[in-house]
Amino acid sequence: QVQLVESGGGLVQAGDSLRLSCAASGGSFSSYAMAWFRQAPRKEREFVGTINWSGRRTYYADSVKGRFTISRDNAKNTVYLQMDSLKPEDTAVYYCAADLSFGSTYGGDYDSWGQGTQVAVSS
């Protein structure tokens, strides 16, 4: 399994942008599809988006489509989540996850998880 560490969270205002990073180690990063999930207080974990091993395919939740962009740099073993036009409802702990198959929106399908990074958006 690959080990994942997220970074880049923080407190921003509505309309601002933020970029999260997820650094991987201990595995063949380029073999994995990567995904971002988030969990807001008192809510269930929510799928945000996913990217395939090459970076050529992505899929997003409707709630973030057009505002968030996932990319990856296999040479740096890192996946990114660029978040633009942030809204207060985007406030959550954001997690990255890895799986050998691309396309699942179900967290239970992912084998490796990071510890999460907090994003707070004020109105």
Side-chain angles (χ1 to χ4, degrees):
Q1 287 186 346
V2 64
Q3 287 76 50
L4 305 172
V5 178
E6 302 95 335
S7 62
L11 173 63
V12 297
Q13 293 187 331
D16 285 352
S17 297
L18 201 61
R19 189 176 81 157
L20 306 183
S21 299
C22 172
S25 62
S28 180
F29 177 72
S30 60
S31 298
Y32 289 90
M34 300 297 296
W36 288 93
F37 289 79
R38 66 187 182 186
Q39 187 164 20
R42 298 174 297 281
K43 291 189 175 182
E44 293 188 354
R45 183 173 57 195
E46 176 188 20
F47 169 79
V48 173
T50 184
I51 188 167
N52 79 324
W53 69 272
S54 69
R56 293 193 182 100
R57 298 176 66 189
T58 55
Y59 178 76
Y60 299 95
D62 287 343
S63 58
V64 306
K65 198 174 296 183
R67 299 188 299 121
F68 289 12
T69 304
I70 298 176
S71 62
R72 65 190 296 161
D73 186 337
N74 286 344
K76 295 182 178 180
N77 289 351
T78 302
V79 62
Y80 304 98
L81 179 64
Q82 176 67 41
M83 303 185 293
D84 298 320
S85 302
L86 281 161
K87 304 176 181 179
E89 51 264 43
D90 294 319
T91 295
V93 177
Y94 283 72
Y95 300 89
C96 66
D99 187 51
L100 291 174
S101 298
F102 169 71
S104 176
T105 63
Y106 174 56
D109 287 336
Y110 289 82
D111 300 319
S112 300
W113 292 82
Q115 84 290 347
T117 185
Q118 176 72 54
V119 172
V121 184
S122 63
S123 58

